[in-house]
Each structure stands twice: as structure tokens, then as C-alpha cells.
Amino acid sequence: MSAESSVSPPRVGVWLIGARGSVATTAVTGCAAVTAGLHPPTGMVTETPAFADCGLPPLSSLVFGGHDTVDCPLPKRAEALAAGGVLPPGLPAAVTAELAAADREIRLGGPLSGETRDEDELVEALASDIRDFMSRCGLTRTVVVNVASTEPVPTGTELPASSLYAAAALRAGCPYVNFTPSMGLHHPALASAASASGLPYAGRDGKTGQTLLRSVLGPMFAQRALAVRAWSGTNLLGGGDGAALADPGAAAAKNAGKERVLADTLGGVPEGETHIDDVPSLGDWKTAWDHIAFDGFLGTRMVLQTTWQGCDSALAAPLILDLARLVARAHETGLSGPLSELGFYFKDPVGDGPAALGEQYAELVGFAGRLRGAGAGAEGPLRGVGDPQLPSGERPGSSGERRGLPAERRSLPGERR
């Protein structure tokens, strides 16, 4: 073996918000299992031939850490998921060292009950955790991925927790992915910081089940000139997601992305609603049912019904690994701003892009070609689609503002909002 080929690839961090949840635990466990050759990379689009030689960081180079407000150790969480049939029996024991290593890199998040820190102090504390992780682990870059429970749509002026974490990612100089429907980097107060950061970002709300199917069926009806009269749906799910979505505000945030897919593919939202019901006994499993009423030739009325039964964590985890690798590579090549080419993965994608899954996949494959052609560390930033140009001579983050929270939102010393 040559000296060049024996050099280890640079280590890349994946900082998970909600690091002890089911999705995060499954992603960490799955990465270790695939790296060790214990399981194939089923569900990982980046492991298919279209993404070969794109310069994506190898799974073996990923180092996991994150924030959470619960203290259940990852090995114990993985054992619980195995007991529920989410993970294969015996797998947590086989990768316990990797789970323990990731668990040591999880830090307490916030805001906590009785929080006394103002927004800027909390953002700085969260960003400091990320910077320490990068320094301690010798990482070339870190991608922050939000996989925490869904928040209700914020109504006041305070930044919600998801946006505080997003601001911390910017302040730490890290690309950001929002896999949830929570506000995150979408908050208007973070718009200027996001555009000035020079960082790539992607989101939001991972497309793993019902909406994945809708993004295929919606274009089918439109392309076959069939008139959809009504589209109603029901989601039954348990676990932490079910509990979080029992909140009407959180459910409304979730359903907004589902409706967007129909509006974008059908040209309007048909009659009908989507209901989300918390069924704790289902655990990490969910059942999604759709009832689609449509008109055919000469007004003949017909119905299509679909039933999707799946495991949310097993569907989401490979996408988390895909996104971490793609966004890390985008950052390496100098891309910045919203990565609309990653809309394939999301219900409510950033930037401008198609809504039909087939068209989104074509854009994703095109993006892979872009990354392949960029080489390692291309000179000069390759801007993301829709990324606003900075004023002439201004460098990302060169203003006096501390990156990650605009000056107009920061308290004066000692001031409380």
C-alpha cells in the first residue's frame, strides 16, 4: 500500500440536536454497523452508484456529538430501540463502543426550565460546545443537524429553541440541516446572519413516509390529467414524535409541509385534511392512510387509498447520514446559502426547486455531478441556488456582529427580554 493511500481521510463532525432521540440513536448505530460491515447501507442514497467519486466523507470518518436535554445514555437508548424492533437484536452490543464514544460528546442543551441566560448568552454557550467538540476531536468541519422533537409555530418575539440552536451553528461556523418542521434557520431574525455567514444550509422537515408517497402520486394525477377532488389523510404514530405532535401547534407545523407538496404538485390544495393521532402503544412505528377522490374521463368518480406502515427512525436515519455527507462536501467545495438541490429529502425545502420526487431526484444527481467536478477544496465559493450576493468587498461574517445572532436581537449587558 502506498503512503498516499494509507493516509486517513479528514474527520468530519455530525452534531445532532436531539442527540439522544430515536432518530439520532438509529443514525449513530447504523453508521457504526455499516462501517463495520455488519449491515448493508439500505436506504442511503449516497451509497448508490450515482454518488460515487463525489468526494463525500466516508462513513468511517464521521464523528458524532450533539445537544439534548435528556440524560439517557445512547447505549441504553439503543437497547430500548432493539427491544421495540427498531434495531436488530444484538446490534447495540456489537457497536457499544461507538455508541459510548458518541454519548461522551453529548452536551446539555437548552433553554432549560428556569433558564436565566438571555438569548445571546445561550447561543454562545451552545456554540462553544460545538467549537470545543471540533477542537477536541480534530475535525475539519462539522455539520449541525436538527432531529429534535417538533415545536409549535412561534407566536412571540422570542427565538424558539430550534432557532437558538441554528444561531449557534452559524456562530460556530458550521453548516446546518433542519430535518424537522420547527422554525430553525427559517426564523426571520436569522435571515441576515444566515446570508452573511457564507455557510451552506438545507431543510426543512424530512420526507420519509406519507409525504414521500404524495410527492410521487401528486405528479402522477397531474400528468395523467386526472382531477383530484379531495385528499384526506390520517397519521397514527407513537414514541416521542407522537407525543410532540399531540400538541395542536406542533401538528399544524407538521401538516403545513404535507399540504405544500400537494399544492406544488397539483396546482392547488384539494378538499380534505390530514389528522395526526398519538397512539403511544405504536412506539416508533407509524401508519399513514390516504383517501384520494378523483374524477376520470366523462366525470367518472374514482378513489385511490394508500396505507404506509413504517418505522420512522429507520426511514429517517439513512437520510441524516446522506445529508451530513452531502452538506459537509458542499461546505468543503465552497458552496453557500440554501441548497435547494437537496429538496429530494424534505417536505418544505429551502430555495426554489421542483416538488415532484422524480424531478427532485434528477436535481440531486445533478448536484452530485457538481460536487464530483469541484475537486477537493475548489478555489472560490460556488454559491448555492438563491444565495444572496454580499456587497462588494464584504466577507461573510466580516461585520461587527457576532455570527449567529443579529445585533438587533441581542440584549444589552444584564438586560432581560
Side-chain angles (χ1 to χ4, degrees), residues 47-416:
E47 285 294 298
T48 60
F51 295 83
D53 304 319
C54 287
L56 302 180
L59 291 174
S60 60
S61 72
L62 302 184
V63 181
F64 294 92
H67 280 119
D68 211 320
T69 55
V70 300
D71 57 4
C72 178
L74 280 186
K76 185 175 181 181
R77 186 77 179 98
E79 290 171 3
L81 290 175
V86 177
L87 297 176
L91 183 57
V95 297
T96 187
E98 289 86 347
L99 289 167
D103 191 69
R104 289 193 293 271
E105 299 298 339
I106 298 176
R107 299 294 179 265
L108 184 64
L112 305 172
S113 177
E115 183 67 67
T116 59
R117 294 169 291 184
D118 65 28
E119 286 182 353
D120 190 64
E121 290 171 336
L122 182 53
V123 168
E124 178 57 30
L126 299 173
S128 178
D129 287 337
I130 301 171
R131 289 191 293 259
D132 289 347
F133 168 68
M134 295 179 65
S135 174
R136 188 173 55 257
C137 296
L139 307 176
T140 57
R141 69 195 80 253
T142 291
V143 179
V144 176
V145 185
N146 181 18
V147 289
S149 296
T150 300
E151 297 172 336
V153 176
T155 55
T157 59
E158 296 282 327
L159 284 178
S162 63
S163 296
L164 295 173
Y165 286 116
L170 297 182
R171 187 173 294 187
C174 296
Y176 173 79
V177 176
N178 187 3
F179 201 74
T180 80
S182 300
M183 188 64 70
L185 204 55
H186 276 64
H187 199 289
L190 298 182
S192 62
S195 63
S197 69
L199 295 166
Y201 55 90
R204 64 180 168 167
D205 199 2
K207 186 163 57 187
T208 60
Q210 185 180 44
T211 310
L212 178 68
L213 192 56
R214 287 182 172 191
S215 67
V216 175
L217 293 177
M220 179 197 74
F221 283 109
Q223 291 161 6
R224 288 295 301 270
L226 297 170
V228 175
R229 292 184 292 105
W231 197 314
S232 303
T234 295
N235 272 262
L236 307 177
L237 69 164
D241 225 15
L245 294 173
D247 182 308
K254 188 77 171 177
N255 281 333
K258 294 178 181 289
E259 291 180 359
R260 175 180 170 178
V261 171
L262 296 182
D264 290 348
T265 58
L266 297 174
V269 179
E271 292 180 3
E273 297 180 348
T274 299
H275 299 276
I276 299 176
D277 294 329
D278 178 26
V279 184
S281 62
L282 288 177
D284 206 56
W285 301 79
K286 75 174 179 182
T287 296
W289 173 70
D290 270 359
H291 182 280
I292 308 156
F294 64 99
D295 290 344
F297 192 51
L298 305 179
T300 304
R301 296 199 162 188
M302 292 172 267
V303 169
L304 171 65
Q305 296 185 55
T306 66
T307 302
W308 177 287
Q309 293 179 296
C311 175
D312 245 11
S313 296
L315 290 164
L319 308 187
I320 300 302
L321 299 176
D322 276 351
L323 287 163
R325 300 172 79 195
L326 289 163
V327 175
R329 175 61 173 151
H331 185 234
E332 180 187 17
T333 61
L335 282 165
S336 64
L339 299 178
S340 62
E341 299 95 332
L342 302 186
F344 175 79
Y345 292 99
F346 299 105
K347 297 183 184 74
D348 187 18
V350 297
D352 298 318
L357 190 68
E359 295 175 23
Q360 290 177 330
Y361 179 72
E363 287 215 343
L364 181 63
V365 171
F367 184 67
R370 244 176 119 192
L371 297 180
R372 186 179 296 111
E379 291 191 20
L382 301 173
R383 293 202 165 274
V385 175
D387 182 40
Q389 297 290 321
L390 296 175
S392 176
E394 182 179 334
R395 295 181 293 104
S398 62
S399 70
E401 296 181 9
R402 300 186 70 179
R403 193 160 53 182
L405 194 62
E408 63 269 19
R409 284 205 54 82
R410 274 186 266 125
S411 301
L412 296 172
E415 181 184 2
R416 296 290 299 150

